Amino acid sequence: MPNQRRIAYQGEPGANSHIVCQEHYPTWEALACASFEDVFAAVESGEADLAMIPIDNSLAGRVADIHHFLPDSGLHIIGEHFLRIRFHLMGVPGATLESIDTVHSHVHALGQCRKVIRAHGLTPVISGDTAGAAREVAEAGDPTQASISPPLAARIYGLQVLAEDVEDEDHNTTRFVVLSRDLVEAAPGSGPVVTSFIFNVRNLPSALYKALGGFATNGVNMTKLESYMVGGQFTATQFLAEVDGHPDDPGLKRALEELAFFTTDVKILGVYPADPFRA
């Protein structure tokens, strides 16, 4: 297909990131990458047009340390998507719940599916990736091995689903952000918007309190605030923050001006439409 547009993700074909790419960019080619660094490099080099990166999970918390990659990458957040995480227990054709002894998956997935593992007396085996676990089971061709993987992986690797939706919690949700080389900002007044930014504060008493005061006094809702050490030093802290609103909104504009007064290196990473899931 000429000029086929590509979206890069971390993981093997059939991973949750692959599912999100298919859901929101169905006509695009999804490009599997081994690591988050490879995903960023693919977009920076032009090998891919966009990237889909998981940033938070409702059970596991922070997924990718995008503060580490984004500030110097020249990439921008242009969208967000939420995916309800579903895992199936799967084995090779002919395998049954009685024949399986071991279950392969990513360490987080094994931790999120403890009940089914315990119920069937399975021995967990850690794999690097949930979809990669399905590939490994398919390649082994052993009816005593199973994997806990996303539903798409069963189709890709020709596995038989032995039990559906085996996750312990049905509210397991991951938030993904879409990254682009081009800055594409949501238009002001076009509906609910999220603004993501980073800033540094000096390690002084009440520095963060003063920096964030403007958001409170201007009625801006902050939905995320995470701290990171900068350059291995303990003398300054970098924060990744997300707020509801557009930088052109009067309240947020004033809050960001006040923030700049008490901090260094304020950098907006993206201004993008809020996913309807938030509502």
Side-chain angles (χ1 to χ4, degrees):
M1 191 185 249
N3 299 326
Q4 169 79 346
R5 305 203 74 187
R6 305 173 96 190
I7 182 163
Y9 66 92
Q10 187 275 325
E12 296 199 30
N16 284 309
S17 297
H18 188 192
I19 292 172
V20 184
C21 292
Q22 285 196 341
E23 275 186 15
H24 296 282
Y25 296 86
T27 62
W28 290 39
E29 179 188 345
L31 176 67
C33 297
S35 67
F36 289 120
E37 288 93 335
D38 293 341
V39 175
F40 276 76
V43 180
E44 287 168 32
S45 70
E47 186 185 359
D49 301 280
L50 298 176
M52 184 74 77
I53 296 283
I55 177 170
D56 302 300
N57 176 266
S58 60
L59 296 179
R62 185 193 298 171
V63 179
D65 286 339
I66 66 161
H67 75 285
H68 185 67
F69 305 112
L70 260 185
D72 303 317
S73 69
L75 303 185
H76 311 273
I77 302 174
I78 63 163
E80 65 170 0
H81 300 294
F82 290 78
L83 179 71
R84 157 84 163 80
I85 302 299
R86 298 175 63 208
F87 287 123
H88 291 357
L89 182 66
M90 53 190 77
V92 295
T96 65
L97 287 172
E98 289 68 42
S99 75
I100 58 175
D101 297 323
T102 59
V103 61
H104 301 242
S105 199
H106 186 271
V107 64
H108 283 170
L110 293 170
Q112 291 165 16
C113 302
R114 288 195 177 97
K115 290 175 187 170
V116 73
I117 295 171
R118 197 163 53 236
H120 296 286
L122 303 174
T123 302
V125 179
I126 294 172
S127 294
D129 183 86
T130 54
R135 176 184 53 75
E136 290 162 7
V137 167
E139 287 172 354
D142 180 350
T144 69
Q145 294 183 15
S147 77
I148 287 174
S149 305
L152 179 61
R155 295 203 297 276
I156 288 177
Y157 301 109
L159 295 181
Q160 178 179 317
V161 174
L162 306 177
E164 294 188 355
D165 297 327
V166 296
E167 58 276 6
D168 296 342
E169 306 290 345
D170 62 7
H171 59 72
N172 186 358
T173 302
T174 296
R175 174 175 171 244
F176 293 80
V177 290
V178 182
L179 306 180
S180 167
R181 279 188 309 284
D182 301 320
L183 176 62
V184 183
E185 288 197 352
S190 58
V193 165
V194 179
T195 297
S196 297
F197 55 95
I198 54 168
F199 60 93
N200 290 1
V201 298
R202 284 176 299 155
N203 203 350
L204 296 171
S206 71
L208 182 62
Y209 176 78
K210 290 172 183 168
L212 298 182
F215 295 93
T217 54
N218 287 289
V220 175
N221 183 36
M222 183 168 283
T223 55
K224 182 186 183 80
L225 182 66
E226 291 190 347
S227 63
Y228 309 88
M229 289 297 154
V230 181
Q233 302 297 313
F234 288 91
T235 52
T237 307
Q238 184 180 79
F239 289 87
L240 169 65
E242 293 181 345
V243 294
D244 292 341
H246 195 286
D248 288 351
D249 298 344
L252 182 50
K253 189 170 190 173
R254 285 194 297 269
L256 288 170
E257 284 168 0
E258 210 165 311
L259 176 71
F261 189 74
F262 292 108
T263 60
T264 60
D265 307 317
V266 178
K267 181 170 184 177
I268 298 219
L269 302 178
V271 180
Y272 47 94
D275 187 287
F277 179 90
R278 286 180 180 262

